[in-house]
Amino acid sequence: MADSRTDIAPQTEPALDDLEEGTVARIDFGKVAQIGRDSHQVVPVVLQDVDTGDVLFVGYANDEALRLTLERRSAVLYSTSRHEIWHKGATSGDTLSLVDVRVNCEQNSLLYRVRRDAGGACHTRDASGSARPGCYYRSVDDSSQLRHLSS
């Protein structure tokens, strides 16, 4: 299957470190199509820090993940890559307490307004080894280059 990521220097699938820490843009424009091909019954979820307004990351929820989020008052998502329910922070300790859940006008996406309980929200770590506060730690300089933002 062809890789749908933008990549100026085509190569084999990038190593995870290149993808998560690199400065070459490899935007996965095929992600949503892959979710559809795999028949996942999900909606996108934007996770937003209620105190700062920062978008922490975007995930997906199915009906079970939404129900568990509301029951636990903590962010629960559905992993489209692992095909399973994912309680954010269950293994890292970086859980996200739920303030509220909002739905858009067409009821096809959700907004989880959350508070970080500890550390960060991203599974990646910065140069000091700390969990990043959110997943948007690079900016797109042009269609092929990324730049790390200072904390």
Side-chain angles (χ1 to χ4, degrees), residues 1-94:
M1 173 177 3
D3 188 351
S4 59
R5 295 180 193 271
T6 299
D7 191 350
I8 295 306
Q11 57 184 338
T12 59
E13 184 67 24
L16 194 57
D17 194 52
D18 275 350
L19 187 62
E20 294 176 349
E21 298 300 327
T23 58
V24 174
R26 292 183 171 93
I27 310 300
D28 188 358
F29 291 107
K31 175 72 175 177
V32 173
Q34 185 62 49
I35 290 169
R37 282 191 297 277
D38 290 345
S39 299
H40 294 286
Q41 298 294 306
V42 296
V43 294
V45 179
V46 174
L47 288 97
Q48 180 185 43
D49 184 306
V50 71
D51 297 315
T52 66
D54 291 344
V55 172
L56 303 175
F57 63 93
V58 174
Y60 300 92
N62 62 7
D63 59 344
E64 182 182 8
L66 176 58
R67 181 181 52 76
L68 290 170
T69 294
L70 294 169
E71 284 176 10
R72 295 178 183 183
R73 305 305 297 169
S74 185
V76 177
L77 301 151
Y78 180 80
S79 171
T80 58
S81 58
R82 295 186 312 267
H83 309 278
E84 64 186 17
I85 293 294
W86 163 48
H87 180 202
K88 170 65 181 106
T91 56
S92 68
D94 293 331

Side-chain angles (χ1 to χ4, degrees), residues 122-134:
C122 187
H123 72 280
T124 65
R125 305 228 171 250
D126 63 19
S128 71
S130 299
R132 288 187 168 103

